[in-house]
Amino acid sequence: MTKRTICAKILFTLIIMALPKLGTAQINDENIRLEVLHKNVIGKEFVFGKWNDKGGTETHLMYLGSVKTEKGKTYKIMNSVWVWGLSCRATSRILIFNGKNQYLGNYGLTTDAQLPTELNNGILIFRNLDPECDKKLVSKINFKKGLPQEFFRECNNKFGDSFIFDGEN
């Protein structure tokens, strides 16, 4: 066998071995999200997995509740923080589901300090937890009129961040 043939066989074997692991990560995300939605416990953080410096990952999920829009649609809202990588990086998102627990999409945030703290009467409430932001400012996003495609979260004196909905369809 040539060196090229041996390398191709090794690469093929590695790909075949890695594919099942890639598939289960996505399925696992869906399963743990559904598990939290089915528990229907508002404001409690559930932790799945355990991060470590050898490659383990950890997911923190908190169900904030549901809102019924003026047009009768139901949205369920969940905070998600996925901790990964050797340097303990985190990916923070606000996950949106419909009334049948089907994932619709998310708002990707820069840090976990930007996550909303509660959902009250259809209003998503963001308290400034970041030390660089004004603690007295509170951003409120109304979901009763529907799912906003974009919203602004204030940090200091009209400065802040805009977040865009990233839908599945």
Side-chain angles (χ1 to χ4, degrees):
M1 268 191 248
T2 67
K3 187 175 183 180
R4 186 177 181 153
T5 305
I6 293 170
C7 287
K9 286 184 177 185
I10 291 172
L11 180 62
F12 178 75
T13 303
L14 290 173
I15 290 172
I16 295 298
M17 290 171 55
L19 280 177
K21 292 184 188 288
L22 291 174
T24 58
Q26 190 64 33
I27 292 167
N28 187 36
D29 271 356
E30 183 179 341
N31 289 342
I32 62 176
R33 292 171 179 177
L34 286 173
E35 181 180 331
V36 171
L37 287 172
H38 288 302
K39 287 183 181 191
N40 199 32
V41 178
I42 294 174
K44 180 176 185 210
E45 183 177 67
F46 293 90
V47 180
F48 299 89
K50 178 76 175 139
W51 177 86
N52 61 51
D53 58 3
K54 301 208 183 331
T57 65
E58 189 171 299
T59 302
H60 298 245
L61 299 174
M62 181 186 300
Y63 178 57
L64 296 174
S66 66
V67 58
K68 191 164 194 158
T69 68
E70 293 170 356
K71 294 185 177 180
K73 288 187 175 181
T74 299
Y75 295 113
K76 295 182 177 184
I77 302 173
M78 181 185 301
N79 285 345
S80 170
V81 179
W82 178 48
V83 183
W84 56 277
L86 298 177
S87 59
C88 195
R89 298 194 186 279
T91 301
S92 301
R93 292 190 171 99
I94 303 168
L95 307 177
I96 307 296
F97 301 85
N98 66 16
K100 297 178 181 177
N101 294 338
Q102 296 167 321
Y103 177 71
L104 300 177
N106 70 82
Y107 297 94
L109 307 177
T110 309
T111 70
D112 61 345
Q114 295 173 327
L115 287 165
T117 51
E118 64 183 291
L119 178 67
N120 189 350
N121 196 26
I123 309 287
L124 201 54
I125 298 172
F126 296 81
R127 301 196 190 290
N128 282 332
L129 303 176
D130 188 318
E132 296 181 19
C133 293
D134 184 348
K135 303 272 188 256
K136 296 175 195 158
L137 290 176
V138 176
S139 297
K140 298 178 180 182
I141 311 303
N142 188 345
F143 275 74
K144 290 188 267 185
K145 295 187 185 287
L147 194 62
Q149 290 305 303
E150 183 175 2
F151 68 85
F152 180 76
R153 187 185 182 288
E154 193 173 7
C155 175
N156 287 319
N157 301 323
K158 302 293 180 202
F159 293 102
D161 294 290
S162 289
F163 300 103
I164 298 171
F165 182 70
D166 181 13
E168 281 288 292
N169 299 324

